[in-house]
Amino acid sequence: MVRIQGVDKYFGDHQVLHHVDLDVAAAEVVAVVGPSGSGKSTLCRCVNGLERPDRGSVLVDGVTQPAEGRELARFRADTGMVFQSFNLFGHLTVEQNITLAPLRVRGVSRAQARDRAAELLERVGLAAKARAHPAQLSGGQQQRVAIARALAMDPKVLLCDEPTSALDPEMVQEVLDVLAAVAAAGTAMIVVTHEMAFAREVADRVAFMDGGRLLEEASPDAFFTAPRHPRAAEFLSKVLRR
């Protein structure tokens, strides 16, 4: 479903991604883990087209990421994105946040968009909040709305960029539970996360990054019990001790 081939990315003179290769199959969940500043979020943004790779290519369902224009907008519609900081429109209701893109980008009818929003809000446990505004919701509720908004476009892959990092600890699990349900429903996902329990229990594969390089890919069992790369072993010895 996703093929990342030889992706390099620079910010000025600083190279943040070094020839990254990563494939994600249909219905597969890949957790991307590693220390802060390792290029995980940049990789996620390169898949979505929010950042342009300086070298290499990104394909989603066999379609190469276009350079710009309407073709890029159509490509991005197939790659749902859940951000760290929710990015909901504060002046719109929850329902309006979810229906906006399907109405404007997919061209669905208002009735269809509302029905889909109601279905997704039920799915994320927020059916009673359709008329609320984001400021009336907790952080965990806002992130669940953001997940519903991404799913409303029926994306071919869902990209989650550290979706729990801006949440209070007590709100983290409610978001992880929703993501686990999305994964169980068969949506291909790339999840950049610091939540090792989620990576271990929900992901089909773990990809470890450090210094802008993808150093190891393995099943969760193999990665967490016997990491092959010394840097991955060092990382796990620190994060699993907490």
Side-chain angles (χ1 to χ4, degrees):
M1 185 56 70
V2 179
R3 172 155 287 179
I4 302 166
Q5 295 179 304
V7 165
D8 291 334
K9 178 64 183 176
Y10 291 82
F11 291 130
D13 294 331
H14 178 55
Q15 187 170 1
V16 292
L17 294 177
H18 296 260
H19 205 78
V20 175
D21 295 312
L22 180 67
D23 289 344
V24 181
E28 185 180 26
V29 179
V30 175
V32 183
V33 304
S36 297
S38 59
K40 306 184 302 296
S41 294
T42 300
L43 180 64
C44 211
R45 292 170 69 86
C46 282
V47 174
N48 183 255
L50 290 170
E51 301 286 354
R52 293 288 302 159
D54 292 298
R55 280 190 293 271
S57 61
V58 176
L59 294 86
V60 173
D61 200 16
V63 176
T64 300
Q65 186 184 85
E68 57 186 13
R70 291 182 178 178
E71 292 81 8
L72 179 59
R74 282 194 289 268
F75 180 91
R76 290 179 63 189
D78 287 333
T79 56
M81 188 84 174
V82 179
F83 300 90
Q84 297 179 34
S85 53
F86 324 138
N87 286 11
L88 299 176
F89 295 109
H91 65 291
L92 301 180
T93 66
V94 164
E95 180 186 82
Q96 290 168 336
N97 267 281
I98 295 171
T99 59
L100 182 63
L103 288 169
R104 295 194 177 182
V105 179
R106 296 291 195 204
V108 305
S109 70
R110 190 166 296 277
Q112 287 177 306
R114 284 178 172 170
D115 286 347
R116 179 65 169 149
E119 173 192 333
L120 289 167
L121 285 172
E122 182 73 34
R123 185 171 167 185
V124 301
L126 293 173
K129 299 295 186 180
R131 300 290 184 270
H133 283 78
Q136 298 171 293
L137 306 179
S138 70
Q141 289 173 329
Q142 289 186 59
Q143 192 62 295
R144 283 188 277 157
V145 171
I147 294 168
R149 179 181 60 181
L151 293 174
M153 294 293 284
D154 294 316
K156 294 178 178 178
V157 59
L158 183 65
L159 309 169
C160 300
D161 182 13
E162 299 189 13
T164 61
S165 65
L167 300 177
D168 292 335
E170 62 186 11
M171 298 176 183
V172 168
Q173 193 58 49
E174 66 186 64
V175 173
L176 294 179
D177 288 344
V178 169
L179 290 176
V182 171
T187 301
M189 297 171 64
I190 299 175
V191 184
V192 173
T193 184
H194 289 294
E195 298 293 335
M196 295 298 110
F198 177 85
R200 189 166 199 161
E201 295 166 14
V202 177
D204 299 298
R205 186 154 42 97
V206 177
F208 174 74
M209 292 187 68
D210 187 40
R213 293 178 169 84
L214 182 57
L215 299 181
E216 182 168 347
E217 294 178 63
S219 70
D221 277 350
F223 179 76
F224 284 103
T225 59
R228 298 186 306 274
H229 197 283
R231 183 64 186 95
E234 179 188 14
F235 171 78
L236 288 174
S237 72
K238 294 176 180 178
V239 299
L240 297 181
R241 200 187 307 156
R242 295 172 185 171

